[in-house]
Amino acid sequence: MTRQLAGELRTGSRAESVARAIERRIAEQGLVAGDLIGTKAKMREEYGVAVATMNEAVRLLSDRSVIYVRPGVKGGLFVASRPVLVRLGRKMLELSGDSVSVADCLMMRNALEPLVMEETARHVTADGLAELREIVWRMERPGVEAEEYMRLNWELHLKMADATPNQVLRHTYQSVLEYVGSRVQRVATEQAAVDVIRGARIHRALVEAIADGDPDEVRRAIAAHSALTSPPGAGD
């Protein structure tokens, strides 16, 4: 089990974390439609998860048309026909830290976030909303340091994107966020520019606006959230 996956398993849905790990594997290995990813048994052992968790991860990826399952002796998990999104994942991995600025990353993320948040407000389930509130509650705990706040911030936004049925938006946003997260988090933390209390308050208001479902409240909350990134290097 990788260190990245171990961290995700501690903080989020285990099945979703395994699903993301399999998507990363497809991109990292350059797999294309029809390629074998592995058997469920071997991958379950590799990721160290229960049978039910692995089955749920497979279901999630099948629903997203990322993989298909072939039974039998020569069966396993295979890459489904999703060339555009697979190419996107590979392109993200090809980007080097030297050629991509933090400003470029933030610009891309900020352009997508209002769409993601509006989609979250339209489609979030009761269980999904409970998970968002739990993450914000952890943000609000006394004594939360900037580094922990930033990690929770990224976890919250990844979870928001899970709500949208728009696969292109979800995959694009989550790919960008996962790629730039460590870079932006490190820069913001090193510059001591993170206002944890203000950030937690604004994220709480955003989640509650999503829960209320009032479009005007959601737009106001999105605007307040967007202000966290102005000036550059602010606490989100």
Side-chain angles (χ1 to χ4, degrees), residues 25-196:
R25 173 182 293 201
I26 293 170
E28 289 167 358
Q29 295 182 3
L31 302 180
V32 297
D35 284 350
L36 174 66
I37 307 167
T39 66
K40 279 205 294 187
K42 288 184 178 179
M43 296 182 75
R44 182 180 68 80
E45 181 178 352
E46 177 183 341
Y47 294 135
V49 296
V51 172
T53 299
M54 190 68 213
N55 287 341
E56 177 63 12
V58 170
R59 185 192 67 77
L60 290 170
L61 292 172
S62 297
D63 289 348
R64 297 171 188 171
S65 301
V66 178
I67 67 169
Y68 65 91
V69 181
R70 183 185 299 167
V73 177
K74 296 184 179 180
L77 309 183
F78 293 81
V79 179
S81 298
R82 197 175 64 157
V84 173
L85 297 186
V86 170
R87 283 202 299 272
L88 170 63
R90 293 179 64 183
K91 286 297 182 182
M92 290 301 301
L93 288 167
E94 290 169 5
L95 294 173
S96 70
D98 293 335
S99 64
V100 180
S101 71
V102 172
D104 287 345
C105 294
L106 285 171
M107 180 179 69
M108 185 65 179
R109 188 201 68 169
N110 293 348
L112 293 173
E113 277 191 338
L115 295 175
V116 170
M117 292 169 186
E118 289 173 1
E119 283 284 281
T120 303
R122 292 189 188 101
H123 302 290
V124 69
T125 64
D127 288 344
L129 186 59
E131 290 178 321
L132 295 178
R133 282 172 163 158
E134 195 274 335
I135 296 169
V136 173
W137 176 81
R138 283 187 276 149
M139 279 183 173
E140 294 172 327
R141 288 177 301 175
V144 171
E145 300 290 340
E147 184 175 358
E148 173 69 1
Y149 165 81
M150 293 299 294
R151 186 188 65 77
L152 291 168
N153 184 354
W154 253 250
E155 181 184 346
L156 180 72
H157 287 275
L158 286 170
K159 182 61 63 178
M160 283 184 178
D162 285 341
T164 177
N166 184 326
Q167 294 185 37
V168 176
L169 175 60
R170 181 177 63 244
H171 186 88
T172 303
Y173 177 74
Q174 290 183 336
S175 294
V176 170
L177 196 61
E178 288 175 346
Y179 178 77
V180 306
S182 61
R183 291 166 172 79
V184 177
Q185 177 173 326
R186 183 176 63 250
V187 169
T189 302
E190 288 175 354
Q191 292 178 345
V194 179
D195 186 339
V196 172

Side-chain angles (χ1 to χ4, degrees), residues 2-39:
T2 65
R3 181 177 300 177
Q4 180 177 4
L5 177 60
E8 290 177 356
L9 289 174
R10 287 194 299 270
T11 59
S13 162
R14 296 177 71 85
E16 182 62 46
S17 298
V18 172
R20 287 181 186 145
I22 292 172
E23 286 188 300
R24 284 196 295 270
R25 173 182 293 201
I26 293 170
E28 289 167 358
Q29 295 182 3
L31 302 180
V32 297
D35 284 350
L36 174 66
I37 307 167
T39 66

